[in-house]
Each structure stands twice: as C-alpha cells, then as structure tokens.
Amino acid sequence: MLRAGIWILALAAFLALPHGLSFSQQEILVFLVINILLVASYRLLTLTGEWSLGHVVIMGVGAYASALYTKELGIAVPLSMLLGGLTAALVAVVLSFPLFRMKGFYFLIGSFAAGEIIRLLWKRFREPFGGAKGIKGIDPMPDFSVGFYRFDFFEPVSYYYFAGIVVGVCLWVLWRIEKSPVGLTFHAVHWQDKLAEASGVNLRAYRTLAFAIASGFAGISGALLAHYVGTINPNSFDVEVMVFVLTWAIVGGTATFYGPILGCIALTVLNEIVLRELGFEQMRPLIYGAILIASILFLPDGLESLVQKLLRRKAAPAKERVAE
Amino acid sequence: MTTFLEIRDLTMRFGGLMAVDHLSFTVEHGQIHGLIGPNGAGKTTTFNMISGFYKPTSGQVLLRGEDISGLKTHEVARRGVVRTFQHSTLFAELTVLENALVGTHMPFRPNIFAAIVGWDKEDRIGAEARAREALEFFGLDHLAGERAGDLSHGHQRALGMAVAYASHPDVVLLDEPFTGMNPEETRRMMGLMRNLRDSGITILLVEHDMQAIMGLCDTITCMSFGKFLAEGGPKEIRNHPAVIEAYLGGARHVA
Ligand SMILES: Nc1ncnc2c1ncn2[C@@H]1O[C@H](COP(=O)(O)OP(=O)(O)OP(=O)(O)O)[C@@H](O)[C@H]1O
Ligand SMILES: [Mg+2]
C-alpha cells in the first residue's frame, strides 16, 4: 500500500519534472536520465569486483553501432538501439578473452588500453566510423503518438519521457538481476572466488556475464545519446567522461543499487544547475576532482551511507535480512 | 567394480621441492578416511590437486574410474567432489543464509532469463529450502540472518561445512576442521561428521587432532615428506612403527 503510494508519487514527479524548467535544463534532464543508466550498468560490473576504465568507450560502441545500423542498414531507430546494446555486449564478450586474464589493477589498465584501441579504430577508419569527425546527422527517433500524448522528438521533454521509460525498464531488469541468484553469485565471485569455485561456480563465465550485461546496458545508454544529439565522435567517449562516471559511482557509493544513481543525480544537479548559474562550468574537471577527494576523505561509504543511516533510524529494530 | 576415489602416483613439484611424491591410496565409498602426517607433509597440496586448485605435475585422480586430475575446480565440484578450506573461508559480507544459498549453486543452477521474468520461483524456493536444511543439519538455523563474518570461530567452521553440504556432494574434503575449537566444539563437530557420513557422504579428512582422527576415521593414510608411509585402521596406525617414527622424528626436528 505504502509502496504503491511511493511509486505513484515517483511517477508523478517523473512526469511533472520537466515542466517549469528552461529548455537547456530540460536538455540536461535528458542527459541525466541517460547517465543514470550508464552509471547503474557500471555498478553491475563492479559487483564481481572488477572496475573497468573502458565502460564509456563501450557506451560509445552502442552509440556508433546504433547510428550505423540506421544509416547504413536502414534499421528503424528504437530497434537499432536494442541492437546497439547487443553489439556492445558482444564486443565485451570478445574483449573478455584478453581482459579476464588480468585481475584488479591490471584489469583496470587493460580495460583502459582496450578502450583506447577501440577509439583509435574509430579515428583510423573513415569508413564506416567517420574518422575523427565522427558521424553526423544521425537519424532522430521518429515522432509518434500514443493517443493522449504526442511524442515530438524535436522537444527535449518528449525525448526525456521516451528515454525515461527505456531507462526505467533497463533499471528494472538490472535490479531483477541483482536480486536474483545470479546477483548473489556475482557477490560470491567478488568476496571469495575460491569458495565460489569450490561451490561449482564457473568464475570465468560469471565474470564474463557481468561484463556483457553491464556493457549491453551501457550500449543502450550510448544509443539513446546518439539519437538525441545526432552527432558523435571519438572524443564524445574519452577518458574524461569515464572519470565522471567513476566520480558518480564513488561519491554515491557502490554498496547499494541506488548509490551510484544518487551520486549521478547529486553531481549533475550541483554541476549543471548550481555551477552553471554561477558561471563556473569551465572548471568542472577541477571541481569534480575536489569533490572526489573530499568524498573519499569525509564520506568513504558514499552518499548511500547517509541514506542507509536515515532509513535505519526510522526502522529502529533492525529486521532480519533474508535473501529474497 | 571400480574403486570410488583413487589417488594414483600423484606428484606435485614446486621448483626443486617434491611436495607430494608418487602418492597412491584409495578411498572407499561411505567412509571417513583420514589423511595425516607431520607439518609440511603435503596434505593440503594433495587436497589442492584432488579438488582442481593445482594441476598435478604427474599422476591421476580417478573418481569412479574417471580421471579428474587437471580439471578446473568448478568442474571437479560438479562431479561431486567439494572441498572446504584450512582457514575459515566464507563470504564474510553475506548473511549465513546467503552463504548456504551460494552452496546450492550446483543443484539449483541460476538462469538469468528466468530470474528476470520471474519464472524461477520454484528453484528459488527449492534452493532456500536446501540452504535452510543445510543450516539446520549443522545447527546454524537460528543464525540465518547474521553476517557470516560476525560468527564465532566454531560456527564459522560449521558454516563452511554447511556450504559444502548444501551442494549435495558425494565426497567432501575437510582440511583441519577442528583447528581452534575447544573440546566441546570438537565433540559436537565429530558428531556432525558421523551424521554426514551416515547420510551417505564420503569424507576425506586432514587433521592434526589425533583424538578426533582416531575416534572418527574408518581408514587412515599417513604420509611424510610427500610420500606414502602407512595405511590402516586407527589401531594399526597408532601402533605403526613408521608412523610413530615420523611423528617423533618430526617433533625432534621441530624442537
Ligand atoms: N604454492 C606453493 N609453492 C611452493 N611450495 C609450496 C606451496 N604450497 C606448499 N608448498 C610446500 O609444500 C610442502 C607441503 O605443504 P602442504 O601445505 O601440503 O603441507 P601440509 O601437510 O598441509 O602441512 P600442514 O599440516 O602444516 O598444513 C611444504 O614444504 C610447503 O612449504
Ligand atoms: Mg595443510
């Protein structure tokens, strides 16, 4: 009952949010929704204990793939997005062969190198990737109407609703995976890979599975971006964006599903609304760096730890935590 | 009839060191089989080879006649050979129940698509029932919601065995399950192991606690410096001159 109320409230907030915002703020809202999917998919990868520096490039794989499928093969836009996600997942499976020979720090460096190689390929091959200039004039999402609402994708509000629904469904799937026995196995692989192995868990398969799923959803977020902005190039997915993703995840915390999302929202609000109003947005990397250091020093468990404290105080007698 | 578990000429060389040197013995189905020897004799290394953590330098491990040496750990586990660890190795951050649920990975293999759509209800119910059964078997059911890392030492060791038990193993390899236990905990654990054997599970046990070994084992294999030394029932081993010599020699060596 209470749950249903909260969901209805959240839905109302989602629908009402863009109204009363300026055009540029509405645009930011679209990016925020896309970035939420990006950072939530990143968390799934971190469940198995691996942190990658190639996630944003994988997002780019989805963006390039979806853009090219529409341009070269004439595939309709929403379907191309799905195929873009699949392509990103497939690329991840291929990359997993060299990458999962490494662990921890070496995996981090290896994933960075793999990402740079992919970016180099985009730059090097004019056909079909467009070289350093990238791809321009990517097909937009075609307008359509669902009776009571007309999606006009020239308007950011329409795209915000569309992306919001896509991201909502993706988050739901990610949530279901995390709360399933598969998610528990990811945790097991992270905390004690030896014991997991002795319990019959195929470590390689599960690491690859997490990598592929995370990459697939990152690819969908990239496709959402590509068909909104209409132009992408290798620099849209460079390491600076990756640093933002890491900052969102670390500032928000990665122990809970909502932690990274919280970090993404908080920093976007701070950055786009507060800093932009003050005219500081040029200093974004500097300020992000400062926030990252401050949060590691003063809030090592992320924003989520504040929420957890709040919730715990409410539900005073801690209930027995039982796996679903 | 093929033997149940046969170790044949198993050898492990670490550089110049022969940790295990052409070791052979067989384990009968339904027994508690002890593997003893002074420190550094190669017992843990033998376990690591049987369970697939190490690939033997040479030799074979035959399970019902099938050579399983050189298989990966999870492949060995899927054939029914499940190990526990010398030190309490658990998913410390997860709850006791979640630990046992990981143990049900093999009988209830997760399927990601079924999990997303929600078609795995029966499997989840089955897995939880099996996990709770395992906890009950080891007297841990009242701790199901605790964080595994917060348990007492004795309970942690029992949970390690519960995780193994939850997977329906044919053979469990227990590496020093009694270390750090007080006499009361040891006595209880011995009872649990007999129950385990009586439920049809074969146990291969490495242990230094001679009282526990002598009280539990149907057959004991003694090794020293990686080599087979003697084998027999508790009485024979206790009075075996070579065994006494190995342990006294070891003691003198340590002193
Ligand atoms: N990974 C390794 N690399 C090199 N040497 C090793 C390795 N593992 C074990 N050894 C050596 O092999 C020998 C046998 O070790 P092992 O751990 O199997 O003995 P153990 O019988 O289990 O001893 P304990 O009773 O002390 O547990 C020892 O000399 C040990 O130092
Ligand atoms: Mg040992």
Side-chain angles (χ1 to χ4, degrees):
Chain A
M1 194 57 220
L2 183 70
R3 263 247 177 105
I6 291 175
W7 279 113
I8 289 170
L9 221 66
L11 187 67
F14 167 72
L15 292 175
L17 199 56
H19 303 288
L21 292 182
S22 70
F23 186 85
S24 69
Q25 284 170 334
Q26 288 172 342
E27 288 207 300
I28 291 161
L29 214 51
V30 175
F31 293 128
L32 174 63
V33 168
I34 292 171
N35 287 338
I36 284 177
L37 179 57
L38 178 63
V39 77
S41 68
Y42 192 61
R43 172 177 145 74
L44 189 91
L45 176 61
T46 66
L47 280 189
T48 58
E50 300 297 355
W51 287 62
S52 152
L53 287 180
H55 202 62
V56 167
V57 178
I58 294 281
M59 175 199 197
V61 170
Y64 269 88
S66 183
L68 289 174
Y69 291 153
T70 52
K71 231 184 163 78
E72 308 285 333
L73 306 179
I75 293 172
V77 169
L79 180 64
S80 72
M81 290 181 176
L82 203 63
L83 293 176
L86 277 176
T87 307
L90 272 175
V91 168
V93 171
V94 173
L95 287 181
S96 77
F97 287 96
L99 285 183
F100 283 137
R101 293 169 166 270
M102 313 173 224
K103 279 180 80 175
F105 178 72
Y106 297 99
F107 178 82
L108 200 72
I109 300 302
S111 63
F112 174 69
E116 288 306 295
I117 290 169
I118 292 176
R119 280 180 0 104
L120 211 64
L121 293 177
W122 290 337
K123 278 187 193 155
R124 178 76 182 66
F125 291 100
R126 285 275 190 82
E127 246 349 283
F129 301 122
K133 290 214 181 78
I135 305 176
K136 290 199 179 100
I138 300 169
D139 288 354
M141 180 72 194
D143 297 346
F144 65 95
S145 167
V146 286
F148 56 91
Y149 187 81
R150 226 190 94 69
F151 284 89
D152 168 8
F153 290 108
F154 196 67
E155 290 287 324
V157 178
S158 277
Y159 205 84
Y160 161 78
Y161 286 145
F162 168 70
I165 291 164
V166 172
V167 170
V169 171
C170 291
L171 290 183
W172 178 78
V173 172
L174 284 167
W175 167 259
R176 294 280 295 185
I177 292 172
E178 185 177 334
K179 292 295 156 191
S180 76
V182 177
L184 181 65
T185 311
F186 287 152
H187 280 291
V189 169
H190 179 190
W191 293 116
Q192 259 310 336
D193 54 348
K194 287 220 159 67
L195 181 54
E197 224 180 346
S199 304
V201 175
N202 184 343
L203 293 183
R204 244 318 286 279
Y206 271 84
R207 289 210 172 103
T208 306
L209 183 67
F211 191 38
I213 296 171
S215 300
F217 285 108
I220 291 179
S221 75
L224 282 172
L225 180 74
H227 294 283
Y228 180 64
V229 294
T231 159
I232 50 172
N233 62 61
N235 287 337
S236 323
F237 308 101
D238 68 1
V239 74
E240 193 182 319
V241 186
M242 190 62 229
V243 172
F244 294 150
V245 175
L246 284 173
T247 314
W248 297 328
I250 291 169
V251 170
T254 51
T256 62
F257 186 79
Y258 58 79
I261 298 176
L262 214 61
C264 179
I265 294 175
L267 286 182
T268 304
V269 169
L270 180 84
N271 177 62
E272 303 291 351
I273 315 243
V274 182
L275 295 187
R276 197 174 288 255
E277 291 304 309
L278 297 176
F280 278 169
E281 78 243 42
Q282 294 305 322
M283 292 163 67
R284 184 152 102 148
L286 179 80
I287 289 167
Y288 262 48
I291 290 174
L292 187 61
I293 292 168
S295 91
I296 289 170
L297 286 179
F298 301 112
L299 201 62
D301 294 329
L303 290 171
E304 67 188 4
S305 62
L306 296 180
V307 178
Q308 281 174 321
K309 254 183 223 158
L310 222 77
L311 290 177
R312 215 169 296 144
R313 201 169 304 160
K314 260 193 197 155
K319 273 196 302 180
E320 187 188 26
R321 206 175 123 218
V322 178
E324 275 180 45
Chain B
M1 209 193 93
T2 53
T3 39
F4 180 59
L5 179 63
E6 180 178 354
I7 313 302
R8 192 187 284 172
D9 276 332
L10 206 58
T11 302
M12 186 80 214
R13 189 202 302 268
F14 294 116
L17 175 82
M18 291 290 257
V20 177
D21 191 357
H22 294 278
L23 181 72
S24 299
F25 64 95
T26 60
V27 178
E28 298 283 328
H29 186 267
Q31 285 203 341
I32 299 183
H33 191 118
L35 182 62
I36 63 169
N39 287 103
K43 305 178 296 289
T44 300
T45 306
T46 304
F47 264 28
N48 282 335
M49 284 189 283
I50 298 174
S51 60
F53 272 67
Y54 294 162
K55 199 173 157 53
T57 310
S58 66
Q60 291 169 315
V61 179
L62 301 164
L63 180 71
R64 297 185 200 91
E66 183 199 4
D67 186 5
I68 60 167
S69 59
L71 292 183
K72 297 218 180 74
T73 300
H74 70 270
E75 292 168 332
V76 173
R78 286 172 191 188
R79 282 166 176 74
V81 182
V82 172
R83 67 168 302 176
T84 64
F85 293 83
Q86 186 162 0
H87 308 285
S88 303
T89 297
L90 291 169
F91 307 110
E93 304 293 326
L94 303 181
T95 66
V96 169
L97 179 60
E98 284 167 338
N99 270 268
L101 280 170
V102 176
T104 66
H105 182 85
M106 286 191 282
F108 299 95
R109 201 73 67 75
N111 177 313
I112 187 154
F113 296 106
I116 293 170
V117 217
W119 286 346
D120 60 348
K121 283 240 165 58
E122 273 171 44
D123 271 1
R124 290 196 202 193
I125 291 168
E128 179 162 345
R130 178 61 190 165
R132 289 197 182 275
E133 186 185 334
L135 293 182
E136 205 166 320
F137 193 98
F138 289 96
L140 295 166
D141 35 340
H142 60 292
L143 298 169
E146 301 285 316
R147 222 182 64 105
D150 295 339
L151 296 186
S152 73
H153 185 77
H155 282 146
Q156 288 196 356
R157 307 244 46 154
L159 180 56
M161 287 172 60
V163 172
Y165 177 69
S167 67
H168 284 298
D170 296 326
V171 191
V172 286
L173 312 180
L174 302 175
D175 199 350
E176 304 197 18
F178 297 105
T179 6
M181 283 195 174
N182 62 35
E184 166 62 20
E185 285 173 326
T186 303
R187 205 183 47 73
R188 283 202 42 208
M189 183 60 90
M190 285 173 70
L192 292 175
M193 277 181 205
R194 289 199 188 93
N195 293 348
L196 209 57
R197 173 193 54 194
D198 297 343
S199 72
I201 295 172
T202 307
I203 298 175
L204 184 56
L205 174 68
V206 164
E207 186 49 60
H208 283 294
D209 183 333
M210 279 305 144
Q211 226 162 349
I213 283 279
M214 295 299 167
L216 271 174
C217 293
D218 303 298
T219 311
I220 299 170
T221 302
C222 179
M223 62 189 293
S224 176
F225 294 111
K227 287 198 175 71
F228 178 92
L229 201 62
E231 185 170 277
K235 266 207 203 93
E236 289 164 74
I237 288 297
R238 206 191 326 244
N239 302 314
H240 199 292
V243 175
I244 296 169
E245 163 67 22
Y247 271 88
L248 288 181
R252 204 187 307 137
H253 198 76
V254 170

